[in-house]
Amino acid sequence: MAPASVKVFGSPTSAEVARVLMCLFEKDVEFQLVRVDAYRGTQRMPQYLKLQPLGEALTFEDDNLTLSESRGILRHIAHKYARQGNPDLIGTGALERASIEQWLQTEAQSFDVPSAEMVYSLAFLPPNMPKQNDNGNGNGNGYGNSNGREVQVANASSKRVVAGATDGKTAASGANGNKQQQKEEEMRKVFEKSKKDLEKLLDIYEQRLEEAAYLAGDKFTIADLSHLPNADRLASDPRSRRMFEARKNVSRWWNNISSRESWEYVKSLQRPPSA
């Protein structure tokens, strides 16, 4: 049996790679996944670095064509393999395709950055942040400190340093506590800004999804697909999932696209192999 002409170099945990894998599954395209850990620096495979000299997260090969931008790859797959798998991903007429492109651009320009920043900030914030008012507006998706003991110790150490204690360990502990608090505060600000931006966008989605089952119309397309990697992380986290649950149409849309078999395949590839 001839080897697959399509190869994907990267980690399935990367949002860029996950988009491409799902599209390939939707289109029933045979491909080879070459797993590359984007964080291993010089340990990365030489052939991958040759394809992607800057060491970016994704490289896609299809015969003699090499691409590295995920949405461009989605367009390529949907067009080249239009006659197999899901026939609706790229649309058929000019109007359908224009609508798909509009919402794909909306995802790239307005959803991708704040959603990625929110995912990043959540990695540094307490896992169980109690609800509190957001800037006094009562939205109830703010922050608290879930790890009270750790924060209290850091604060106590800081106070001893301010009081002029000369113990070296105490000073180091206080400095570390301050750095931790500063990092957490920085991430809280990132979270708040990205949350505000995303909620404005999701309000637009809510109105759009009142009129249609999916963003570009009544069929699942690459415009919906492109949202899945980052949205899945946010919808899976109790600190951010309320953004989806609080909007009836967005919630319905999310449940529909996230339960697709192709996305389940991608998520199975994201899990670490069993020992």
Side-chain angles (χ1 to χ4, degrees):
M1 183 177 180
S5 63
V6 174
K7 295 181 181 179
V8 180
F9 295 79
S11 169
T13 58
S14 158
E16 300 286 315
V17 175
R19 286 189 192 100
V20 172
L21 296 180
M22 185 176 182
C23 190
L24 290 168
F25 284 131
E26 284 280 336
K27 296 301 293 181
D28 293 333
V29 176
E30 183 180 352
F31 68 95
Q32 179 183 356
L33 172 62
V34 182
R35 290 176 178 263
V36 179
D37 187 340
Y39 301 100
R40 287 185 180 173
T42 56
Q43 297 179 32
R44 283 176 292 187
M45 301 175 63
Q47 62 265 42
Y48 171 75
L49 291 175
K50 183 177 180 181
L51 291 167
Q52 186 59 273
L54 298 179
E56 295 178 7
L58 166 67
T59 298
F60 173 88
E61 276 189 329
D62 190 355
D63 289 326
N64 295 324
L65 178 68
T66 301
L67 301 170
S68 59
E69 197 281 312
S70 64
R71 295 168 193 84
I73 297 170
L74 299 185
R75 296 183 185 96
H76 166 79
I77 295 169
H79 280 293
K80 180 174 179 178
Y81 301 97
R83 299 195 178 191
Q84 65 187 73
N86 184 342
D88 302 320
L89 288 188
I90 200 66
T92 53
L95 287 177
E96 281 187 13
R97 291 185 174 178
S99 181
I100 292 169
E101 188 61 31
Q102 173 191 345
W103 289 102
L104 186 62
Q105 288 294 326
T106 298
E107 183 277 324
Q109 296 173 7
S110 302
F111 182 86
D112 184 56
V113 171
S115 63
E117 288 181 345
M118 183 177 283
V119 169
Y120 178 73
S121 67
L122 285 171
F124 293 90
L125 292 171
N128 298 301
M129 298 185 294
K131 292 182 179 179
Q132 67 181 44
N133 290 347
D134 280 343
N135 301 321
N137 62 13
N139 288 340
N141 196 11
Y143 307 97
N145 289 313
S146 63
N147 192 345
R149 180 177 180 275
E150 180 180 345
V151 173
Q152 289 169 7
V153 170
N155 287 342
S157 299
S158 300
K159 289 176 182 177
R160 284 196 293 271
V161 173
V162 171
T166 57
D167 181 85
K169 292 182 180 179
T170 300
S173 175
N176 290 336
N178 285 334
K179 288 181 180 179
Q180 178 182 337
Q181 288 178 316
Q182 289 171 1
K183 183 66 175 180
E184 186 174 308
E185 182 60 30
E186 176 188 345
M187 289 298 101
R188 286 180 178 181
K189 291 178 180 178
V190 171
F191 182 97
E192 286 294 345
K193 182 182 183 305
S194 57
K195 176 176 177 288
K196 183 178 180 180
D197 292 343
L198 279 180
E199 289 195 321
K200 288 180 181 178
L201 181 64
L202 290 177
D203 285 341
I204 296 172
Y205 283 20
E206 180 71 5
Q207 294 178 6
R208 168 57 181 162
L209 294 166
E210 183 76 39
E211 307 166 355
Y214 299 97
L215 289 174
D218 291 324
K219 298 173 182 177
F220 175 82
T221 70
I222 58 174
D224 307 290
L225 183 158
S226 192
H227 288 77
L228 272 155
N230 286 343
D232 187 80
R233 296 186 181 184
L234 296 176
S236 300
D237 194 309
R239 298 168 293 178
S240 51
R241 70 164 61 111
R242 181 68 182 161
M243 291 190 304
F244 298 85
E245 294 175 341
R247 295 166 173 81
K248 179 184 69 173
N249 299 318
V250 169
S251 178
R252 168 188 50 77
W253 167 76
W254 173 249
N255 289 335
N256 285 342
I257 69 172
S258 62
S259 62
R260 295 182 73 85
E261 188 176 19
S262 54
W263 183 241
E264 292 301 321
Y265 287 152
V266 174
K267 292 183 74 171
S268 71
L269 294 174
Q270 293 175 341
R271 301 185 193 109
S274 56

